[in-house]
Amino acid sequence: MTVDATSQQQGAGVSMFRDPKVRAVFFQILVIALFLAFVLYVGNNTIDNLEKRGIASGFGFLSQPSGFGIGIVVLMDYNAQTSTHGDVLLIGIINTLTVSIAGIILATIIGFIFGVLRLSKNWIVNKIAAVYIEVIRNIPLLVQLLFWYFAVLSVLPVVKDSIRISDNLIINNRGAYFPSVVPEPGFWVVPVCFAVGIIATFFVRRWAHKRQDETGEQFPVFLTGLGLILGLPIIGALIMGVPFTFAYPSASRFNITGGWVLEPEFLAMVFGLSIYTGAFIAEIVRSGINAVSHGQTEAAHSLGIRPNLTMRLVVLPQALRVIVPPLTSQYLNLTKNSSLATAIGYSEITAIFAGTSLNQTGQAIEIIAMTMAFYLTISLLISMFMNWYNKRIALVER
């Protein structure tokens, strides 16, 4: 091979590396290789340390008896002697999802209400909303959770001095008690009718929108949907002869039996998370409404549309395109902030599984990895749903 041929090959190699696409592929491969090497090093080092300390690895601990009690258990039975750490995981997941879903719903309602009130022309209403937003956003969430639990709910009357609202609601420092539904044979018709009502409402809404596009006539979708969702279960229950009864809470001197209860830990978490996150959502709603051109409002008023309908039918649908992306972040923050429940004793996944179960079993790597995987999965699901909704309401160019 001549010197000229060698120099030409070297030049070709240099010119190829100057290609941005080639460099991008090279550095991506390099980063992936370094990451895999790091994971392999950490994994081998962890296995060696576990073996030296005689710590067993694996997920066999999930089938071992837990041996400790849990304060709040819903949708399943739990016994400290017979239930396993796998049951503890399920209870933690259920409790975390319960408080997160309740918090998201309430925070959204609070945020939209105060976001609209923040733009009110009434000076008093405007300033009340402004004070709520500015004060709540600048107090740490943990402090607010402690306030709701220790300063509000824990100082309620004891059982013998419970606050009674008729015979249906009893409130004391152990929680809020209200009647529970006791299913009887044939009760399955009620939830089936409820599901049918939701599905029927969806199709009625689509039909109403199509009808309005073609004729310009509006249809009372909300009232019709409300009638379907509530009316069909009532009709189904009447046809089946009311296949359920109510168990009312009964108070004695030292205890309350019967009915359902909302524990103070759960209420403190819901109040704290929803009010705190609602303040941030209110600012998002306010900025989203301000992003809509004021000409839209003036045009609606010139057509004789009432202010409340202008806000609901003209401004908010356009503002949602600005509101939804940052709203997603607030939903994710609320879900992850539920891990602060350890401070007030609410039995969510971080407190009972990544806390008590970890201390009893010593399986730190497995438990922390499972807890992280749970939060990651929930966060991705919320992001996927909100991205789908954001794409659904986005403007479509013609």
Side-chain angles (χ1 to χ4, degrees):
M1 182 179 292
T2 62
V3 175
D4 293 339
T6 303
S7 61
Q8 288 178 358
Q9 289 180 355
Q10 293 176 349
V14 173
S15 62
M16 182 181 297
F17 192 74
R18 289 176 179 174
D19 187 346
K21 294 182 179 180
V22 174
R23 286 205 310 272
V25 172
F26 171 77
F27 285 118
Q28 289 180 32
I29 295 175
L30 179 62
V31 169
I32 292 174
L34 291 174
F35 175 75
L36 293 177
F38 173 76
V39 171
L40 183 62
Y41 169 76
V42 172
N44 289 332
N45 193 37
T46 301
I47 293 173
D48 292 338
N49 289 331
L50 290 175
E51 290 179 351
K52 290 178 181 178
R53 289 165 174 78
I55 300 176
S57 59
F59 298 93
F61 70 95
L62 291 174
S63 60
Q64 298 174 0
S66 58
F68 62 90
I70 297 178
I72 301 175
V73 180
V74 295
L75 300 181
M76 59 185 300
D77 296 325
Y78 179 81
N79 184 283
Q81 282 70 40
T82 59
S83 298
T84 64
H85 290 287
D87 297 326
V88 174
L89 173 61
L90 291 177
I91 293 171
I93 290 174
I94 292 172
N95 289 347
T96 301
L97 292 178
T98 301
V99 75
S100 298
I101 293 172
I104 286 174
I105 293 173
L106 284 179
T108 303
I109 295 173
I110 293 171
F112 271 80
I113 291 175
F114 278 91
V116 173
L117 294 181
R118 185 68 179 85
L119 298 172
S120 174
K121 295 180 181 180
N122 186 301
W123 187 86
I124 295 178
V125 173
N126 185 295
K127 295 306 177 183
I128 290 175
V131 169
Y132 159 72
I133 292 171
E134 296 303 325
V135 170
I136 296 299
R137 287 199 310 164
N138 289 286
I139 298 177
L141 175 57
L142 181 58
V143 175
Q144 296 188 40
L145 293 176
L146 296 175
F147 167 79
W148 281 108
Y149 186 66
F150 291 106
V152 177
L153 298 173
S154 294
V155 298
L156 289 173
V158 295
V159 173
K160 66 177 183 178
D161 299 323
S162 297
I163 301 172
R164 297 173 179 271
I165 302 176
S166 70
D167 293 330
N168 299 326
L169 181 61
I170 300 176
I171 301 174
N172 53 51
N173 60 359
R174 295 186 183 180
Y177 296 80
F178 54 96
S180 62
V181 177
V182 180
E184 294 182 352
F187 181 77
W188 61 271
V189 173
V190 177
V192 169
C193 290
F194 180 76
V196 171
I198 295 176
I199 296 172
T201 301
F202 171 76
F203 285 103
V204 168
R205 181 175 178 272
R206 291 188 60 181
W207 170 81
H209 284 182
K210 184 178 179 180
R211 175 175 177 262
Q212 184 175 354
D213 292 339
E214 294 176 351
T215 64
E217 298 180 3
Q218 293 185 351
F219 186 80
V221 177
F222 177 76
L223 294 178
T224 303
L226 193 63
L228 289 171
I229 294 174
L230 298 180
L232 287 180
I234 294 175
I235 294 173
L238 293 175
I239 293 175
M240 298 300 293
V242 190
F244 58 87
T245 57
F246 291 101
Y248 294 90
S250 176
S252 61
R253 184 174 177 83
F254 301 106
N255 197 12
I256 295 179
T257 58
W260 285 328
V261 58
L262 296 177
E263 293 82 358
E265 295 83 3
F266 174 79
L267 293 175
M269 285 299 301
V270 172
F271 290 159
L273 288 174
S274 58
I275 291 175
Y276 178 77
T277 309
F280 289 89
I281 294 177
E283 274 296 280
I284 294 172
V285 172
R286 182 193 63 82
S287 61
I289 293 175
N290 284 336
V292 178
S293 172
H294 188 62
Q296 299 287 317
T297 303
E298 294 177 341
H301 290 168
S302 67
L303 293 173
I305 302 177
R306 295 193 302 272
N308 60 332
L309 291 178
T310 299
M311 178 61 69
R312 183 165 62 88
L313 300 177
V314 178
V315 177
L316 280 180
Q318 298 181 71
L320 279 176
R321 302 182 180 103
V322 180
I323 292 172
V324 169
L327 187 64
T328 304
S329 298
Q330 294 304 321
Y331 288 168
L332 295 174
N333 290 338
L334 187 149
T335 303
K336 290 178 285 189
N337 285 338
S338 66
S339 60
L340 293 173
T342 306
I344 59 174
Y346 180 69
S347 306
E348 50 82 48
I349 188 171
T350 303
I352 60 176
F353 187 66
T356 309
S357 288
L358 188 151
N359 291 331
Q360 289 202 358
T361 62
Q363 306 293 138
I365 296 176
E366 294 85 350
I367 289 179
I368 295 300
M370 294 173 70
T371 305
M372 293 171 61
F374 166 73
Y375 282 111
L376 176 62
T377 302
I378 297 302
S379 297
L380 291 177
L381 290 175
I382 293 174
S383 298
M384 288 173 59
F385 174 77
M386 295 300 291
N387 288 337
W388 167 81
Y389 182 71
N390 186 43
K391 186 179 297 184
R392 185 174 179 273
I393 64 174
L395 287 173
V396 179
E397 298 183 1
R398 297 183 179 178

